Amino acid sequence: MPIPIWYTFGNHMHWVDMQWLWGYHVLPGSVRDMLHFCRETGAKGNVNFDGIGYEKLASENPEALWELREAVQVGTVEVVGASYGQPYGLFHGGESNIRQRIYGARAVMRLLGVRPKTFWEEEFDFFPQLPQMLAGVGFEYASLFFQWTWHTPEIPKEEAPVVWWEGVDGSRLLTATRNHLNLHQWPEDVEILMDQLAEGTAENQIIQQWLELMPSPDWMCRSEILLPKTKELLSDPRFEFKFGTLSEAIRGGSAPLPVSSTVPVKRYLMDEVWHGMSLGKNADRAPRQSHYSERCLLQVESLQAMLGLFGRPYDNWDVYPVWELEEAWRSLLAAQHHDNHECEGLCGHVAEPQYDAVHAITKGGQRGLEHLARRLNLADGETLLYNSLGWARQIGHEGFFGTGVFTVPALGYRVIQAAELKPETTEWLIVGQIATFDRGEFSVRIDLDARNLELRIGDSRRLLSLPELRWTKDGHEVRSQEPLLFGQCDERSLKIGWERQSNCVLYLTVPLAIDALDLTAQIDHSSEDFAQSTADDWWPDAGMNAGFQCVWEFGEAWDSLRSDTPYAVSEVKPSGPWQRKYPTGDWMTSPQWFETIENAFTSLSLVDVLFEGNEGLLILHDGSQQWFGEGKQLRNLLSMRDPWDEGRAKPGARTRYRFIPHQQLSDASRWKLGRELFGTNLYPDVLSQAWNGTGEKFEHSLPEEISSVSCAADNVCVTAFYREAEDYSSRDLPAYAGTGVGHPYVLRLVEFDGIETLAEISVAGTVASAVRTNLLGERLNELEVTPKPGHSSTTFTVGLRPYEISTLYLDIIEGRKQTRDLDAARNVWATVHRLEDE
């Protein structure tokens, strides 16, 4: 009796990189080659294009898009993945990942007439909060089989063909597993599987095969190459092959979603997963650009959302610059594409104008703050401080009259007076080889002879080594062990250099607003030493293990480590061994070699090193995401040379760290502190603005301090505050919560500490309605809101389950668009052109 077995394939292709390099024929050719493959085999498949690729098809080859749409409509092909820019989500911010899913789903619904429901990406896209995000746009199914391409990802292999993949909040997707029936795109892989198939194969297993179809002689995956071996597999008399799209294969062909106690539940930890990327390449240049751009966008969004609450005159023509900011998001989401990171030397340069477009638009944040300053009628000596983050925070300000630290409310501003600034009273004291800094209960002591660093807050003391910089050159380890020298920059800043390695420098600063030490480690390719040589003379050997690393030694072994992933903080255990592969020459044709990576873990922005008694040292960083830990040692990969980029490596490395000793911290507090470091010096003119205006004055000025939105629950973070345009965002969504509002406010909340919470939300305005929605804005339930007569703000509560990402749509009366009576000014325009009649 033949064994029943399902077969499905995914066709992965994208506008980013592929069409950039191969030309306009890429996506149309891939569609038609995929449909040819279906006709020749009788198989059903899944299309995995980037969302921007569907938009490009619509404008550049609508006939090919129509052929794809027909295949999707009749069920021959299913849309899977459906992100806008196919990112390695682990390396990007939480809000970027959410917008990837929102913008991608919108594109698919608008252009292909279906709602995507199945997650399957050919390239690695995994992190613990992803199931919740996918469920938030309506996904029900998934696959965790990622193909090895330039990278070597690992997900635990399972015996079961299907599991419930569970996110940290309990969200579940019925998911096809990584298992022994997963096929790569090569006919040779099919042949190996045929030899293994009959050995203990159970009924209703699923063969998942990744393809990257492009009918070009300059490409290795085309139906003409794949069809002979695939037909041989599918005609094997030992099996009864059943064809379906991925969601059909997962549910066994039945229409309803099965709920079975026999399907195991799996919650994969980051320790069990390996991204397989050259993370750290070129000083993490691509993800750094991504995080910088995301934060600029979030800052400008929240500022423009607040300005709309004050009514006319608006900073823009409309109440909110929806198209400008959404176009900036589209540019950013496309720039975050996996090939712009993985293949940075090949196509990353094309992403540069996309990042530039984001920055060009977000420069409007300065204009928005100047508009706010004018409406405040600032007098001489007054300064406006703006806080773009969703919680009250301390902002240090240095002005002509001195310095000061001020509490600025959440998503709001504060006006300060010159009299509130005081002269700087603390500074570094250098005696021989020892430098100290004392400010109240906080102190720093640096001993160059002992090469150590001591931090104290009250009774808490943490001792660690000064960072050592290491790399491997010509097979030999190079270590920055020469004598160290002090150099003073200003009262709160210090420089430490190596006597005979002028390219290696440490900068240390005590920030104004927090008891912490900021340390910048720099390997400077522009120094005098490097100027006398070529890059090959000093650039490290290829691979992650050989790259520039910053190394710390602690006086004792830690109990545990915590780090962050998109919208989550959790314990992490350094893991391995893992495999990373590289080419020996030309990336498409040369033999490949492997290196073994051990004791590895990743971090978006923070690593908390915890010791006995819950004492710890929180290490924040500005973008070096690959870390290693073993015993008493912690290492951070500053930069590496990736052979996949061939000769296009970017020299040098510079990473900023912030060290905060502490007794005990919640995960929400860790995450907030990480955002505060990133906010500093991103866009100083957006984060904090000193402005003394001399322009127009307004009859009614605004209050000198305001918070547009805040949350009273410490474990819940307000992570985004922006607006949408109802006429665009509501398309294909009958239950859209912003219907009738015009420009609804969108508020994102995230619970970080695993505590079921009833959170109190305060809004600076009269909230006519507040609706809990999914990520697309579809109504889930109405919240009870009772504005108080005579009050200028509204308070209401919202319940959150542990680790929930919650989205609220608000109708704030003061923020509704105010339309001017332009018809009353028709006389200004109507006859002004008739000069000859005067």
Side-chain angles (χ1 to χ4, degrees):
M1 176 73 68
I3 299 173
I5 190 167
W6 285 89
Y7 172 84
T8 192
F9 70 89
N11 180 34
H12 171 72
M13 195 52 61
H14 32 88
W15 172 78
V16 173
D17 176 29
M18 297 302 291
Q19 182 162 307
W20 296 354
L21 301 180
W22 273 265
Y24 286 104
H25 63 85
V26 167
L27 292 181
S30 187
V31 167
R32 288 163 178 148
D33 210 29
M34 173 180 63
L35 298 180
H36 175 69
F37 186 86
C38 290
R39 288 190 296 269
E40 289 293 308
T41 60
K44 291 183 176 182
N46 307 272
V47 60
N48 177 225
F49 292 175
D50 44 2
I52 193 172
Y54 297 123
E55 293 178 344
K56 295 297 182 180
L57 263 180
S59 63
E60 295 168 1
N61 198 316
E63 299 84 4
L65 178 69
W66 189 254
E67 293 174 47
L68 177 59
R69 182 184 172 102
E70 285 187 315
V72 168
Q73 293 286 337
V74 300
T76 304
V77 174
E78 177 178 8
V79 178
V80 296
S83 61
Y84 191 78
Q86 294 181 341
Y88 291 125
L90 176 64
F91 307 141
H92 301 282
E95 196 60 28
S96 283
N97 272 281
I98 283 177
R99 307 295 176 102
Q100 286 282 2
R101 320 302 159 177
I102 292 173
Y103 282 56
R106 284 178 180 172
V108 170
M109 289 189 290
R110 185 173 69 252
L111 298 172
L112 296 175
V114 297
R115 182 166 184 157
K117 59 184 177 182
T118 304
F119 169 78
W120 191 20
E121 290 283 359
E122 188 244 13
E123 305 280 345
F124 176 84
D125 189 8
F126 173 94
F127 51 91
Q129 279 283 26
L130 185 54
Q132 182 178 182
M133 294 183 185
L134 295 170
V137 292
F139 281 54
E140 302 173 63
Y141 310 99
S143 172
L144 287 176
F145 164 40
F146 305 112
Q147 184 172 221
W148 276 27
T149 53
W150 285 24
H151 69 326
T152 53
E154 295 288 351
I155 294 282
K157 288 185 177 179
E158 304 286 354
E159 292 297 323
V162 174
V163 298
W164 286 105
W165 174 26
E166 185 175 76
V168 294
D169 74 313
S171 296
R172 293 180 179 179
L173 301 175
L174 201 61
T175 300
T177 60
R178 185 192 175 201
N179 57 59
H180 69 290
L181 296 185
N182 297 160
L183 275 176
H184 284 54
Q185 59 190 286
W186 314 111
E188 295 85 347
D189 205 27
V190 177
E191 187 168 3
I192 294 172
L193 178 65
M194 290 175 64
D195 295 335
Q196 299 173 340
L197 258 178
E199 301 176 9
T201 302
E203 293 187 1
N204 291 320
Q205 295 276 341
I206 305 172
I207 294 177
Q208 303 172 76
Q209 183 177 22
W210 270 118
L211 308 177
E212 292 184 85
L213 294 169
M214 184 170 68
S216 167
D218 197 27
W219 190 243
M220 291 182 287
C221 184
R222 345 186 263 281
S223 63
E224 64 175 295
I225 301 296
L226 292 159
L227 279 171
K229 189 57 66 177
T230 304
K231 287 180 177 180
E232 185 180 343
L233 166 66
L234 298 179
S235 62
D236 191 322
R238 296 171 297 175
F239 303 99
E240 176 193 346
F241 282 99
K242 297 184 286 186
F243 298 128
T245 64
L246 181 57
S247 66
E248 289 173 336
I250 287 174
R251 64 176 184 254
S254 59
L257 181 70
V259 180
S260 169
S261 60
T262 62
V263 177
V265 177
K266 294 289 182 178
R267 181 180 287 192
Y268 298 106
L269 304 176
M270 288 307 302
D271 315 334
E272 305 172 87
V273 175
W274 168 239
H275 54 75
M277 251 290 292
S278 297
L279 191 59
K281 64 188 292 182
N282 299 324
D284 281 307
R285 184 166 175 266
R288 281 176 185 274
Q289 288 177 304
S290 167
H291 284 273
Y292 178 91
S293 300
E294 180 194 76
R295 282 165 175 77
C296 290
L297 266 172
L298 291 174
Q299 287 174 343
V300 177
E301 280 187 332
S302 63
L303 172 63
Q304 291 293 341
M306 180 184 71
L307 291 176
L309 295 172
F310 303 144
R312 286 191 179 275
Y314 295 145
D315 178 35
N316 309 277
W317 174 266
D318 213 340
V319 67
Y320 183 86
V322 174
W323 185 89
E324 288 179 41
L325 295 179
E326 292 197 352
E327 185 68 4
W329 273 110
R330 284 186 282 267
S331 295
L332 173 58
L333 300 180
Q336 289 171 343
H337 191 279
H338 62 265
D339 271 16
N340 288 331
H341 186 190
E342 182 180 52
C343 314
E344 187 176 346
L346 184 68
C347 66
H349 64 284
V350 189
E352 295 298 325
Q354 295 173 320
Y355 285 118
D356 289 344
V358 177
H359 303 153
I361 291 174
T362 55
K363 282 181 181 176
Q366 180 175 0
R367 185 191 66 200
L369 278 173
E370 291 173 352
H371 174 82
L372 175 59
R374 286 194 298 272
R375 295 203 59 177
L376 282 164
N377 288 329
L378 290 188
D380 288 343
E382 292 183 329
T383 299
L384 168 65
L385 299 181
Y386 176 64
N387 176 17
S388 66
L389 300 177
W391 51 91
R393 60 167 297 200
Q394 300 289 103
I395 292 182
H397 177 65
E398 299 183 65
F400 179 79
F401 298 100
T403 65
V405 178
F406 305 93
T407 301
V408 184
L411 293 169
Y413 64 82
R414 174 179 171 179
V415 175
I416 62 171
Q417 311 297 322
E420 298 178 80
L421 300 176
K422 307 296 181 185
E424 180 75 65
T425 58
T426 54
E427 62 180 343
W428 286 98
L429 177 63
I430 302 175
V431 179
Q433 292 290 88
I434 295 177
T436 57
F437 188 98
D438 293 285
R439 184 175 64 194
E441 292 193 335
F442 176 71
S443 68
V444 183
R445 185 179 188 274
I446 299 169
D447 187 332
L448 294 188
D449 287 334
R451 291 179 176 267
N452 64 29
L453 164 66
E454 181 185 76
L455 299 170
R456 287 180 182 267
I457 293 184
D459 295 331
S460 295
R461 172 181 176 272
R462 188 56 50 206
L463 184 68
L464 66 156
S465 67
L466 280 172
E468 180 180 77
L469 302 178
R470 298 181 188 172
W471 60 94
T472 300
K473 177 62 180 171
D474 298 328
H476 301 289
E477 185 177 65
V478 181
R479 304 174 69 173
S480 54
Q481 292 186 317
E482 288 77 10
L484 300 174
L485 304 172
F486 279 128
Q488 185 137 10
C489 300
D490 56 42
E491 290 86 353
R492 285 177 290 106
S493 299
L494 200 64
K495 175 182 176 181
I496 298 177
W498 278 261
E499 186 175 2
R500 292 188 298 272
Q501 285 182 312
S502 62
N503 55 302
C504 298
V505 184
L506 300 178
Y507 296 96
L508 298 97
T509 300
V510 178
L512 267 178
I514 185 172
D515 288 335
L517 177 68
D518 287 356
L519 184 151
T520 299
Q522 179 171 305
I523 299 175
D524 184 4
H525 71 281
S526 64
S527 70
E528 188 174 326
D529 287 354
F530 288 5
Q532 306 303 317
S533 63
T534 65
D536 286 341
D537 293 330
W538 56 267
W539 190 245
D541 294 345
M544 298 175 73
N545 290 327
F548 292 127
Q549 297 192 15
C550 196
V551 185
W552 293 272
E553 297 280 350
F554 293 86
E556 58 183 303
W558 56 76
D559 283 353
S560 64
L561 300 172
R562 299 187 77 78
S563 72
D564 61 330
T565 51
Y567 277 165
V569 179
S570 59
E571 182 177 359
V572 64
K573 297 177 182 178
S575 60
W578 306 111
Q579 296 299 309
R580 179 73 188 111
K581 67 168 185 166
Y582 308 97
T584 54
D586 177 78
W587 69 268
M588 282 199 78
T589 60
S590 68
Q592 297 174 0
W593 60 278
F594 286 81
E595 71 170 335
T596 300
I597 308 297
E598 300 191 75
N599 303 311
F601 67 97
T602 63
S603 157
L604 276 182
S605 67
L606 67 90
V607 178
D608 202 358
V609 188
L610 298 173
F611 301 90
E612 185 178 358
N614 288 323
E615 286 196 5
L617 181 66
L618 179 64
I619 304 175
L620 310 175
H621 63 87
D622 66 353
S624 290
Q625 297 190 29
Q626 185 61 64
W627 291 71
F628 308 90
E630 183 180 17
K632 300 178 182 180
Q633 187 184 91
L634 200 62
R635 295 178 286 130
N636 182 211
L637 183 58
L638 299 182
S639 191
M640 63 158 289
R641 181 163 64 87
D642 186 3
W644 291 108
D645 288 338
E646 298 177 341
R648 303 181 184 91
K650 303 295 190 301
R654 189 175 191 271
T655 295
R656 181 183 177 195
Y657 305 94
R658 174 168 289 175
F659 296 89
I660 306 176
H662 64 86
Q663 291 281 0
Q664 191 169 7
L665 279 178
S666 68
D667 285 336
S669 296
R670 293 180 177 99
W671 191 85
K672 290 176 184 178
L673 288 166
R675 302 289 81 68
E676 290 179 17
L677 172 65
F678 271 117
T680 305
N681 294 329
L682 263 185
Y683 257 177
D685 51 348
V686 172
L687 181 67
S688 59
Q689 167 79 12
W691 190 85
N692 293 315
T694 57
E696 67 177 304
K697 297 291 184 179
F698 290 87
E699 182 179 351
H700 302 291
S701 63
L702 303 176
E704 292 194 346
E705 183 172 333
I706 199 169
S707 169
S708 53
V709 178
S710 63
C711 175
D714 291 337
N715 58 310
V716 176
C717 299
V718 176
T719 60
F721 182 51
Y722 62 101
R723 305 185 77 168
E724 290 183 341
E726 172 197 342
D727 57 354
Y728 182 80
S729 298
S730 65
R731 291 182 60 174
D732 307 301
L733 300 175
Y736 183 70
T739 298
V741 179
H743 294 83
Y745 282 87
V746 183
L747 184 65
R748 194 97 63 227
L749 308 171
V750 181
E751 200 290 313
F752 276 92
D753 291 339
I755 303 170
E756 188 169 353
T757 302
L758 189 64
E760 182 179 272
I761 308 298
S762 296
V763 178
T766 308
V767 179
S769 66
V771 183
R772 186 201 299 266
T773 72
N774 65 8
L775 294 179
L776 289 175
E778 293 176 291
R779 181 182 300 268
L780 298 177
N781 63 280
E782 190 103 13
L783 301 176
E784 184 177 345
V785 178
T786 308
K788 297 179 181 179
H791 285 254
S792 59
S793 63
T794 304
T795 300
F796 59 93
T797 58
V798 56
L800 288 91
R801 64 182 182 274
Y803 304 112
E804 181 180 356
I805 301 169
S806 183
T807 302
L808 307 182
Y809 274 58
L810 308 178
D811 177 11
I812 307 175
I813 293 175
E814 289 81 355
R816 292 174 179 171
K817 180 177 179 178
Q818 300 173 2
T819 303
R820 291 176 293 176
D821 182 11
L822 294 182
D823 287 340
R826 292 174 66 87
N827 62 301
V828 175
W829 296 91
T831 60
V832 70
H833 59 286
R834 294 188 175 274
L835 297 177
E836 69 276 8
D837 296 334
E838 293 183 1

